[in-house]
Amino acid sequence: MSQAQLFLPLGALLAVLGTARLLLTEDLIRRVVGLNIAGGGVLMILIAVGFDGDAPDPVTHALALTGIVITVSVTAFALALARRIEDDDAADPDDDGQGPR
């Protein structure tokens, strides 16, 4: 069994588990973690598809590296946004989000 044959199902499993966590939880931090796990699975699939025998495809590896950089920046933004949302919810617990009546 080659590395590519191992990484394809493992990446698909990570993508499915991360997407399930993203969709099935209420906590914003856990959603961000689920998004990161799903993104890691997709990047693993991309690297496995780009691995051709002995020589890896440099284009897919460059895309994966770019995806990692984008994932870090999106994670930082999502965590800052989640903190801001949780701070606003904690400041006014009686507000139901419906606006003025």
Side-chain angles (χ1 to χ4, degrees):
M1 177 177 258
S2 70
Q3 287 181 346
Q5 291 173 342
L6 179 66
F7 287 156
L8 277 172
L10 185 60
L13 179 68
L14 282 175
V16 168
L17 290 176
T19 303
R21 171 58 79 183
L22 180 68
L23 296 175
L24 297 177
T25 189
E26 293 288 326
D27 186 30
L28 295 176
I29 303 299
R30 290 183 181 179
R31 283 186 177 185
V32 172
V33 170
L35 182 65
N36 282 339
I37 291 171
V42 170
L43 291 173
M44 189 177 290
I45 291 171
L46 184 65
I47 289 174
V49 168
F51 192 79
D52 186 26
D54 292 333
D57 186 13
V59 174
T60 56
H61 284 198
L63 286 173
L65 183 61
T66 304
I68 292 169
V69 172
I70 290 171
T71 301
V72 169
S73 61
V74 167
T75 301
F77 178 70
L79 289 174
L81 191 60
R83 182 176 179 189
R84 171 85 46 108
I85 289 171
E86 288 178 356
D87 285 346
D88 286 345
D89 287 345
D92 192 12
D94 294 332
D95 187 19
D96 60 356
Q98 298 294 326
R101 293 179 204 229

PDB file of all heavy atoms in Angstrom, residues 18-38 78-79 82:
ATOM      1  N   GLY A  18     -14.665  16.389  10.382  1.00  0.00           N
ATOM      2  CA  GLY A  18     -14.629  17.829  10.628  1.00  0.00           C
ATOM      3  C   GLY A  18     -15.906  18.519  10.203  1.00  0.00           C
ATOM      4  O   GLY A  18     -16.410  19.411  10.903  1.00  0.00           O
ATOM      5  N   THR A  19     -16.464  18.106   9.076  1.00  0.00           N
ATOM      6  CA  THR A  19     -17.722  18.690   8.615  1.00  0.00           C
ATOM      7  C   THR A  19     -18.865  18.328   9.550  1.00  0.00           C
ATOM      8  O   THR A  19     -19.735  19.162   9.836  1.00  0.00           O
ATOM      9  CB  THR A  19     -18.032  18.213   7.182  1.00  0.00           C
ATOM     10  OG1 THR A  19     -16.928  18.558   6.332  1.00  0.00           O
ATOM     11  CG2 THR A  19     -19.283  18.874   6.650  1.00  0.00           C
ATOM     12  N   ALA A  20     -18.866  17.094  10.052  1.00  0.00           N
ATOM     13  CA  ALA A  20     -19.900  16.692  11.011  1.00  0.00           C
ATOM     14  C   ALA A  20     -19.803  17.524  12.280  1.00  0.00           C
ATOM     15  O   ALA A  20     -20.820  17.973  12.816  1.00  0.00           O
ATOM     16  CB  ALA A  20     -19.773  15.208  11.324  1.00  0.00           C
ATOM     17  N   ARG A  21     -18.597  17.744  12.780  1.00  0.00           N
ATOM     18  CA  ARG A  21     -18.417  18.573  13.982  1.00  0.00           C
ATOM     19  C   ARG A  21     -18.856  20.008  13.704  1.00  0.00           C
ATOM     20  O   ARG A  21     -19.478  20.652  14.538  1.00  0.00           O
ATOM     21  CB  ARG A  21     -16.959  18.533  14.431  1.00  0.00           C
ATOM     22  CG  ARG A  21     -16.609  19.499  15.527  1.00  0.00           C
ATOM     23  CD  ARG A  21     -17.418  19.322  16.767  1.00  0.00           C
ATOM     24  NE  ARG A  21     -16.909  18.208  17.528  1.00  0.00           N
ATOM     25  CZ  ARG A  21     -17.458  17.781  18.651  1.00  0.00           C
ATOM     26  NH1 ARG A  21     -18.515  18.357  19.135  1.00  0.00           N
ATOM     27  NH2 ARG A  21     -16.961  16.760  19.281  1.00  0.00           N
ATOM     28  N   LEU A  22     -18.556  20.497  12.522  1.00  0.00           N
ATOM     29  CA  LEU A  22     -18.929  21.856  12.153  1.00  0.00           C
ATOM     30  C   LEU A  22     -20.439  22.029  12.125  1.00  0.00           C
ATOM     31  O   LEU A  22     -20.968  23.049  12.559  1.00  0.00           O
ATOM     32  CB  LEU A  22     -18.325  22.186  10.782  1.00  0.00           C
ATOM     33  CG  LEU A  22     -18.587  23.551  10.182  1.00  0.00           C
ATOM     34  CD1 LEU A  22     -17.883  24.613  10.999  1.00  0.00           C
ATOM     35  CD2 LEU A  22     -18.098  23.580   8.753  1.00  0.00           C
ATOM     36  N   LEU A  23     -21.158  21.040  11.645  1.00  0.00           N
ATOM     37  CA  LEU A  23     -22.598  21.156  11.476  1.00  0.00           C
ATOM     38  C   LEU A  23     -23.401  20.764  12.714  1.00  0.00           C
ATOM     39  O   LEU A  23     -24.533  21.224  12.882  1.00  0.00           O
ATOM     40  CB  LEU A  23     -23.048  20.299  10.292  1.00  0.00           C
ATOM     41  CG  LEU A  23     -22.512  20.728   8.932  1.00  0.00           C
ATOM     42  CD1 LEU A  23     -22.932  19.732   7.869  1.00  0.00           C
ATOM     43  CD2 LEU A  23     -22.980  22.127   8.577  1.00  0.00           C
ATOM     44  N   LEU A  24     -22.851  19.922  13.574  1.00  0.00           N
ATOM     45  CA  LEU A  24     -23.646  19.351  14.657  1.00  0.00           C
ATOM     46  C   LEU A  24     -23.407  19.971  16.027  1.00  0.00           C
ATOM     47  O   LEU A  24     -24.024  19.541  16.995  1.00  0.00           O
ATOM     48  CB  LEU A  24     -23.385  17.839  14.739  1.00  0.00           C
ATOM     49  CG  LEU A  24     -23.801  17.041  13.510  1.00  0.00           C
ATOM     50  CD1 LEU A  24     -23.421  15.577  13.673  1.00  0.00           C
ATOM     51  CD2 LEU A  24     -25.288  17.198  13.245  1.00  0.00           C
ATOM     52  N   THR A  25     -22.551  20.957  16.145  1.00  0.00           N
ATOM     53  CA  THR A  25     -22.277  21.540  17.455  1.00  0.00           C
ATOM     54  C   THR A  25     -22.764  22.984  17.507  1.00  0.00           C
ATOM     55  O   THR A  25     -22.905  23.646  16.479  1.00  0.00           O
ATOM     56  CB  THR A  25     -20.778  21.463  17.794  1.00  0.00           C
ATOM     57  OG1 THR A  25     -20.602  21.854  19.137  1.00  0.00           O
ATOM     58  CG2 THR A  25     -19.957  22.353  16.898  1.00  0.00           C
ATOM     59  N   GLU A  26     -23.023  23.439  18.717  1.00  0.00           N
ATOM     60  CA  GLU A  26     -23.489  24.811  18.930  1.00  0.00           C
ATOM     61  C   GLU A  26     -22.352  25.760  19.323  1.00  0.00           C
ATOM     62  O   GLU A  26     -22.441  26.952  19.075  1.00  0.00           O
ATOM     63  CB  GLU A  26     -24.553  24.828  20.029  1.00  0.00           C
ATOM     64  CG  GLU A  26     -25.833  24.118  19.646  1.00  0.00           C
ATOM     65  CD  GLU A  26     -26.635  24.885  18.616  1.00  0.00           C
ATOM     66  OE1 GLU A  26     -26.611  26.128  18.645  1.00  0.00           O
ATOM     67  OE2 GLU A  26     -27.271  24.231  17.782  1.00  0.00           O
ATOM     68  N   ASP A  27     -21.305  25.223  19.932  1.00  0.00           N
ATOM     69  CA  ASP A  27     -20.203  26.039  20.423  1.00  0.00           C
ATOM     70  C   ASP A  27     -19.374  26.561  19.254  1.00  0.00           C
ATOM     71  O   ASP A  27     -18.998  25.807  18.345  1.00  0.00           O
ATOM     72  CB  ASP A  27     -19.328  25.204  21.366  1.00  0.00           C
ATOM     73  CG  ASP A  27     -18.253  26.029  22.029  1.00  0.00           C
ATOM     74  OD1 ASP A  27     -18.479  27.231  22.237  1.00  0.00           O
ATOM     75  OD2 ASP A  27     -17.196  25.464  22.357  1.00  0.00           O
ATOM     76  N   LEU A  28     -19.099  27.869  19.272  1.00  0.00           N
ATOM     77  CA  LEU A  28     -18.381  28.484  18.152  1.00  0.00           C
ATOM     78  C   LEU A  28     -16.935  28.023  18.060  1.00  0.00           C
ATOM     79  O   LEU A  28     -16.409  27.833  16.952  1.00  0.00           O
ATOM     80  CB  LEU A  28     -18.438  30.009  18.286  1.00  0.00           C
ATOM     81  CG  LEU A  28     -19.828  30.628  18.159  1.00  0.00           C
ATOM     82  CD1 LEU A  28     -19.754  32.121  18.413  1.00  0.00           C
ATOM     83  CD2 LEU A  28     -20.412  30.345  16.797  1.00  0.00           C
ATOM     84  N   ILE A  29     -16.280  27.830  19.193  1.00  0.00           N
ATOM     85  CA  ILE A  29     -14.886  27.388  19.174  1.00  0.00           C
ATOM     86  C   ILE A  29     -14.785  25.979  18.598  1.00  0.00           C
ATOM     87  O   ILE A  29     -13.891  25.675  17.805  1.00  0.00           O
ATOM     88  CB  ILE A  29     -14.275  27.442  20.590  1.00  0.00           C
ATOM     89  CG1 ILE A  29     -14.387  28.846  21.188  1.00  0.00           C
ATOM     90  CG2 ILE A  29     -12.825  26.974  20.575  1.00  0.00           C
ATOM     91  CD1 ILE A  29     -13.671  29.923  20.406  1.00  0.00           C
ATOM     92  N   ARG A  30     -15.711  25.115  18.970  1.00  0.00           N
ATOM     93  CA  ARG A  30     -15.712  23.759  18.420  1.00  0.00           C
ATOM     94  C   ARG A  30     -16.013  23.762  16.927  1.00  0.00           C
ATOM     95  O   ARG A  30     -15.537  22.905  16.193  1.00  0.00           O
ATOM     96  CB  ARG A  30     -16.704  22.890  19.168  1.00  0.00           C
ATOM     97  CG  ARG A  30     -16.241  22.588  20.572  1.00  0.00           C
ATOM     98  CD  ARG A  30     -17.177  21.681  21.286  1.00  0.00           C
ATOM     99  NE  ARG A  30     -16.692  21.455  22.647  1.00  0.00           N
ATOM    100  CZ  ARG A  30     -17.302  20.730  23.528  1.00  0.00           C
ATOM    101  NH1 ARG A  30     -18.443  20.138  23.224  1.00  0.00           N
ATOM    102  NH2 ARG A  30     -16.802  20.567  24.722  1.00  0.00           N
ATOM    103  N   ARG A  31     -16.798  24.717  16.484  1.00  0.00           N
ATOM    104  CA  ARG A  31     -17.039  24.840  15.042  1.00  0.00           C
ATOM    105  C   ARG A  31     -15.762  25.227  14.297  1.00  0.00           C
ATOM    106  O   ARG A  31     -15.494  24.719  13.209  1.00  0.00           O
ATOM    107  CB  ARG A  31     -18.129  25.870  14.770  1.00  0.00           C
ATOM    108  CG  ARG A  31     -19.501  25.362  15.045  1.00  0.00           C
ATOM    109  CD  ARG A  31     -20.530  26.357  14.627  1.00  0.00           C
ATOM    110  NE  ARG A  31     -21.857  25.812  14.851  1.00  0.00           N
ATOM    111  CZ  ARG A  31     -22.951  26.414  14.499  1.00  0.00           C
ATOM    112  NH1 ARG A  31     -22.908  27.601  13.924  1.00  0.00           N
ATOM    113  NH2 ARG A  31     -24.111  25.847  14.720  1.00  0.00           N
ATOM    114  N   VAL A  32     -14.992  26.125  14.891  1.00  0.00           N
ATOM    115  CA  VAL A  32     -13.722  26.520  14.269  1.00  0.00           C
ATOM    116  C   VAL A  32     -12.774  25.332  14.213  1.00  0.00           C
ATOM    117  O   VAL A  32     -12.093  25.108  13.200  1.00  0.00           O
ATOM    118  CB  VAL A  32     -13.099  27.719  15.023  1.00  0.00           C
ATOM    119  CG1 VAL A  32     -11.707  28.017  14.519  1.00  0.00           C
ATOM    120  CG2 VAL A  32     -13.976  28.945  14.896  1.00  0.00           C
ATOM    121  N   VAL A  33     -12.731  24.544  15.283  1.00  0.00           N
ATOM    122  CA  VAL A  33     -11.885  23.349  15.293  1.00  0.00           C
ATOM    123  C   VAL A  33     -12.359  22.361  14.224  1.00  0.00           C
ATOM    124  O   VAL A  33     -11.553  21.763  13.511  1.00  0.00           O
ATOM    125  CB  VAL A  33     -11.865  22.712  16.699  1.00  0.00           C
ATOM    126  CG1 VAL A  33     -11.193  21.356  16.668  1.00  0.00           C
ATOM    127  CG2 VAL A  33     -11.166  23.625  17.680  1.00  0.00           C
ATOM    128  N   GLY A  34     -13.669  22.182  14.104  1.00  0.00           N
ATOM    129  CA  GLY A  34     -14.213  21.306  13.060  1.00  0.00           C
ATOM    130  C   GLY A  34     -13.861  21.788  11.663  1.00  0.00           C
ATOM    131  O   GLY A  34     -13.544  20.989  10.778  1.00  0.00           O
ATOM    132  N   LEU A  35     -13.897  23.103  11.462  1.00  0.00           N
ATOM    133  CA  LEU A  35     -13.498  23.663  10.174  1.00  0.00           C
ATOM    134  C   LEU A  35     -12.034  23.388   9.881  1.00  0.00           C
ATOM    135  O   LEU A  35     -11.666  23.048   8.746  1.00  0.00           O
ATOM    136  CB  LEU A  35     -13.773  25.169  10.162  1.00  0.00           C
ATOM    137  CG  LEU A  35     -13.468  25.926   8.886  1.00  0.00           C
ATOM    138  CD1 LEU A  35     -14.391  25.460   7.767  1.00  0.00           C
ATOM    139  CD2 LEU A  35     -13.608  27.413   9.104  1.00  0.00           C
ATOM    140  N   ASN A  36     -11.179  23.487  10.907  1.00  0.00           N
ATOM    141  CA  ASN A  36      -9.755  23.196  10.721  1.00  0.00           C
ATOM    142  C   ASN A  36      -9.513  21.723  10.403  1.00  0.00           C
ATOM    143  O   ASN A  36      -8.670  21.395   9.565  1.00  0.00           O
ATOM    144  CB  ASN A  36      -8.964  23.591  11.964  1.00  0.00           C
ATOM    145  CG  ASN A  36      -8.718  25.068  12.032  1.00  0.00           C
ATOM    146  OD1 ASN A  36      -8.772  25.760  11.024  1.00  0.00           O
ATOM    147  ND2 ASN A  36      -8.475  25.561  13.216  1.00  0.00           N
ATOM    148  N   ILE A  37     -10.230  20.841  11.061  1.00  0.00           N
ATOM    149  CA  ILE A  37     -10.065  19.411  10.795  1.00  0.00           C
ATOM    150  C   ILE A  37     -10.523  19.076   9.383  1.00  0.00           C
ATOM    151  O   ILE A  37      -9.856  18.333   8.659  1.00  0.00           O
ATOM    152  CB  ILE A  37     -10.823  18.580  11.845  1.00  0.00           C
ATOM    153  CG1 ILE A  37     -10.136  18.732  13.204  1.00  0.00           C
ATOM    154  CG2 ILE A  37     -10.885  17.114  11.451  1.00  0.00           C
ATOM    155  CD1 ILE A  37     -10.910  18.131  14.346  1.00  0.00           C
ATOM    156  N   ALA A  38     -11.653  19.639   8.966  1.00  0.00           N
ATOM    157  CA  ALA A  38     -12.146  19.398   7.605  1.00  0.00           C
ATOM    158  C   ALA A  38     -11.162  19.961   6.571  1.00  0.00           C
ATOM    159  O   ALA A  38     -10.884  19.314   5.551  1.00  0.00           O
ATOM    160  CB  ALA A  38     -13.524  20.018   7.421  1.00  0.00           C
ATOM    161  N   ALA A  78     -11.633  33.789  12.592  1.00  0.00           N
ATOM    162  CA  ALA A  78     -12.816  33.123  13.143  1.00  0.00           C
ATOM    163  C   ALA A  78     -12.777  33.116  14.673  1.00  0.00           C
ATOM    164  O   ALA A  78     -13.810  33.304  15.323  1.00  0.00           O
ATOM    165  CB  ALA A  78     -12.921  31.704  12.601  1.00  0.00           C
ATOM    166  N   LEU A  79     -11.602  32.904  15.254  1.00  0.00           N
ATOM    167  CA  LEU A  79     -11.497  32.919  16.710  1.00  0.00           C
ATOM    168  C   LEU A  79     -11.737  34.317  17.272  1.00  0.00           C
ATOM    169  O   LEU A  79     -12.392  34.474  18.309  1.00  0.00           O
ATOM    170  CB  LEU A  79     -10.145  32.384  17.163  1.00  0.00           C
ATOM    171  CG  LEU A  79      -9.935  30.891  16.968  1.00  0.00           C
ATOM    172  CD1 LEU A  79      -8.501  30.510  17.313  1.00  0.00           C
ATOM    173  CD2 LEU A  79     -10.919  30.086  17.791  1.00  0.00           C
ATOM    174  N   ALA A  82     -15.483  34.854  16.992  1.00  0.00           N
ATOM    175  CA  ALA A  82     -16.202  34.076  17.999  1.00  0.00           C
ATOM    176  C   ALA A  82     -16.071  34.718  19.378  1.00  0.00           C
ATOM    177  O   ALA A  82     -17.046  34.756  20.142  1.00  0.00           O
ATOM    178  CB  ALA A  82     -15.669  32.644  18.035  1.00  0.00           C
TER     179      ALA A  82
END
